[in-house]
Amino acid sequence: MRLTVAPPDWAQVEIAVPRTPGELPGVRMAGFRHRAPAFVDIAMVAHPSVTLIVDLSDDDGLIYGADGRSEKGSAFVGLLPGEVHAAGTMGECLQVRLSPVVAARAFGPAAELTGTVAPFAEVWGRGAERIEGRLRAAASWDERFAIVVEVLGRRLNTSVDAEVAHIWQRTLAGQGRLRVDSLAGEVGWSCKRLWARFRSQLGITPKRAAQLVRFDHAAHLLAAGEPIATVAAQSGYVDQSHLHREVGAFAGTTSAVVAAAPWLAIDDVAWPVTSRR
């Protein structure tokens, strides 16, 4: 993750959220509209979700990059994409966060999305251009949110093991601090079976999922101004050095930089249901 060159001026950004959050379980949405299109150059922080960014700008929009791959316009950012960077003109966009379980049910095994940034049309397939057109033509954010609920709801056809979904939810609820062998025991699986099924369906190992959730919890505490020692203790890290290593692994930077990350600064506004677990 590079240092931010030109972060958004959040005072100039209108943020919209659904009136009834959680209408589609495992899906969270937020709309962003910059009052005057402005150039931004910003690093994005890893999050335990697959993120769809629908570019609704009338001008050049943003270019997203991760691990040497760049995509312009609407894009999916998978789990563990590495150092994600966005640069360009920020006008208007819709962000949709999908739990890995929902992403797998909607688009097949999430392994295909892990570690990459991919064009919206490439992942969605047939009808992507029409859906993006509907979102652009919508008269309000509420209408856009309703369109997402409608079109995503129709795609939830792929089966995900109930055991895998349960363990993902337990990992979130436990803030990544529950042992994998204990979780396997909860569903009556061996660790080997859990590891194989979880990875094949969600695109990430149970251990890595726990580390990502724990990092997300720590990142929000850092952004809230908590001391590093307190964050390490409350997030389940052995010590501050352990926290620093995990931050470096997930964000490619230091804890101090993550604490000042521009996107985290408005997380409580854009994602009020899930930002502080």
Side-chain angles (χ1 to χ4, degrees):
M1 180 186 294
R2 302 181 336 193
L3 292 176
T4 299
V5 177
D9 178 1
W10 293 117
Q12 298 300 315
V13 179
E14 298 172 0
I15 302 173
V17 297
R19 298 176 189 272
T20 54
E23 186 174 353
L24 194 60
V27 178
R28 295 290 181 266
M29 296 176 281
F32 301 86
R33 178 186 290 116
H34 207 290
R35 293 187 177 90
F39 179 83
V40 298
D41 186 2
I42 185 173
M44 301 172 68
V45 176
H47 185 270
S49 66
V50 173
T51 303
L52 165 60
I53 304 174
V54 183
D55 191 345
L56 302 169
S57 301
D58 294 326
D59 36 44
D60 293 335
L62 298 174
I63 297 176
Y64 306 93
D67 287 346
R69 181 174 183 179
S70 297
E71 297 297 342
K72 181 178 175 61
S74 301
F76 276 90
V77 180
L79 291 172
L80 309 179
E83 299 177 15
V84 186
H85 207 80
T89 302
M90 183 177 178
E92 190 169 86
C93 72
L94 170 65
Q95 286 195 33
V96 184
R97 285 179 173 176
L98 311 172
S99 80
V101 173
V102 171
R105 291 185 62 202
F107 306 106
E112 298 179 7
L113 291 172
T114 298
T116 189
V117 173
F120 172 55
E122 179 182 300
V123 176
W124 192 277
R126 185 177 178 181
E129 185 175 347
R130 181 176 61 83
I131 291 167
E132 193 166 359
R134 287 182 63 191
L135 290 169
R136 285 181 173 276
S140 67
W141 284 114
D142 285 341
E143 186 177 345
R144 286 169 174 163
F145 297 145
I147 290 171
V148 172
V149 170
E150 172 202 336
V151 298
L152 264 179
R154 291 202 302 262
R155 288 195 66 114
L156 301 179
N157 300 317
T158 302
S159 176
V160 171
D161 290 337
E163 294 87 350
V164 169
H166 170 80
I167 290 170
W168 171 258
Q169 290 301 325
R170 290 282 286 131
T171 300
L172 282 179
Q175 299 173 345
R177 302 177 67 171
L178 302 179
R179 291 176 56 86
V180 174
D181 53 356
S182 297
L183 292 173
E186 287 186 14
V187 297
W189 280 2
S190 67
C191 287
K192 182 177 181 180
R193 177 174 174 78
L194 167 59
W195 204 275
R197 298 295 290 173
F198 199 96
R199 185 171 188 173
S200 67
Q201 294 182 19
L202 302 192
I204 188 172
T205 67
K207 181 177 179 180
R208 196 63 170 155
Q211 291 172 335
L212 176 58
V213 170
R214 184 172 58 185
F215 162 78
D216 177 63
H217 177 67
H220 283 91
L221 290 177
L222 289 170
E226 295 287 348
I228 291 179
T230 301
V231 173
Q234 292 186 2
S235 302
Y237 292 100
V238 175
D239 52 27
Q240 293 182 54
S241 296
H242 186 196
L243 170 61
H244 288 314
R245 289 195 301 272
E246 289 289 280
V247 168
F250 280 107
T253 187
T254 65
S255 299
V257 173
V258 167
W263 287 110
L264 288 177
I266 49 86
D267 237 39
D268 286 334
V269 177
W271 315 101
V273 175
T274 59
S275 60
R276 291 293 297 278
R277 287 185 246 286

